[in-house]
Amino acid sequence: MQIIPAIDLKEGCAVRLKQGLMESAKVYATQPTELAKHFEELGAEFLHIVDLDGAFAGKPKNRAVIEKICKDSKLKIEVGGGIREEETIKVYLDLGVGRIILGSIALKNPTFALNMAEKYPIVIGIDAKNGKVATEGWAENGSTLAWEFAELFKESKVEAIICTDIARDGMLSGTNIAFTKKIQQASGIFTIASGGLSCIADIEELKKAKIDGVIVGKAFYEGKIDLQKAFENFK
């Protein structure tokens, strides 16, 4: 399964939030490029980057940092946060980003997301509170059920779905396997769990459930998981 370390960017720094609340941001690294290099040294192949400022603003805000990470590492990088237009997708791909995460715009305009997936490497981000999709950096709660939304991308060119249970994000309380499985079954697409990972045992449970991948965030930053060991054991 894919184990994907995460860097969430706020004002150029690597931070982690609790349940998506910007005021809860804790800075873990002021030099995200060095952090990306460290992940690579540990054995990472992939890197998940979220432009938190961009997610709230609706347009990229940490492009310079992302560009530097792309130039200074060989990681396969996926980026999300504030990507609403095709031109932004092109810019990121030109920088060396491997695939683009569409979240809010995919919910508002699924046709756009499906069309972009026909032309570019696209991942859909489904972030949910109580099973319903949230948008605009999780600041707005919708009424659309996450698994019904996921079903829209069945048999599409979308490369993967990243699904986050916001209530667990940054809480080290364990991933929501049932929620992730429901998204996976509804979409039939490569599905990556996000939110709540706390230890190696959580990864083992996800693998038993045949979940395709997992995002590792706070568990690494708080020293709860040995990433090098995880890469060695689960690749």
Side-chain angles (χ1 to χ4, degrees):
M1 70 184 300
Q2 285 184 8
I3 297 174
I4 310 173
I7 294 178
D8 288 0
L9 295 171
K10 183 176 185 289
E11 298 172 1
C13 296
V15 307
R16 298 306 296 174
L17 308 183
K18 288 183 178 180
Q19 299 179 329
L21 300 172
M22 284 292 263
E23 60 269 25
S24 73
K26 180 178 179 180
V27 176
Y28 285 96
T30 57
Q31 299 295 327
T33 307
E34 295 304 313
L35 183 58
K37 286 180 184 177
H38 181 55
F39 286 139
E40 197 168 353
E41 289 166 0
L42 291 175
E45 293 181 22
F46 304 90
L47 178 63
H48 176 83
I49 299 178
V50 177
D51 179 352
L52 292 173
D53 302 302
F56 281 88
K59 58 184 178 180
K61 289 291 186 178
N62 285 280
R63 176 181 155 181
V65 178
I66 294 168
E67 182 175 9
K68 187 163 175 48
I69 291 173
C70 288
K71 285 182 177 179
D72 291 355
S73 83
K74 295 178 182 177
L75 295 166
K76 297 171 186 174
I77 297 170
E78 60 188 25
V79 172
I83 302 171
R84 308 283 194 269
E85 301 172 351
E86 184 173 3
E87 188 58 36
T88 307
I89 293 172
K90 290 179 181 178
V91 167
Y92 272 134
L93 293 176
D94 287 343
L95 293 182
V97 171
R99 58 189 190 184
I100 304 299
I101 305 165
L102 299 180
S104 298
I105 189 65
L107 181 66
K108 291 180 178 179
N109 190 348
T111 300
F112 171 80
L114 288 165
N115 288 341
M116 292 301 97
E118 292 285 335
K119 300 163 69 174
Y120 310 108
I122 297 296
V123 174
I124 300 298
I126 300 180
D127 309 321
K129 289 181 179 178
N130 300 317
K132 295 179 180 178
V133 184
T135 59
E136 311 303 327
W138 302 352
E140 293 185 15
N141 297 330
S143 57
T144 303
L145 289 172
W147 38 91
E148 290 182 358
F149 179 47
E151 198 169 6
L152 295 177
F153 302 99
K154 195 168 188 177
E155 298 180 357
S156 73
K157 292 291 183 66
V158 168
E159 292 195 358
I161 288 178
I162 298 172
C163 55
T164 306
D165 180 346
I166 296 170
R168 300 198 186 206
D169 192 68
M171 303 305 289
L172 299 172
S173 57
T175 51
N176 189 335
I177 294 176
F179 167 70
T180 307
K181 198 70 186 174
K182 203 164 183 178
I183 296 292
Q184 184 186 52
Q185 291 170 341
S187 68
I189 291 174
F190 191 97
T191 301
I192 300 167
S194 173
L197 188 83
S198 64
C199 59
I200 286 279
D202 288 344
I203 299 179
E204 291 173 351
E205 290 303 312
L206 287 165
K207 189 168 185 179
K208 284 179 186 175
K210 298 184 179 179
I211 301 301
D212 303 298
V214 62
I215 304 292
V216 182
K218 194 170 184 178
F220 165 77
Y221 293 103
E222 292 289 333
K224 305 290 185 184
I225 191 167
D226 183 333
L227 259 184
Q228 188 170 10
K229 185 178 178 182
F231 293 136
E232 291 170 355
N233 291 350
F234 295 99
K235 275 186 180 179

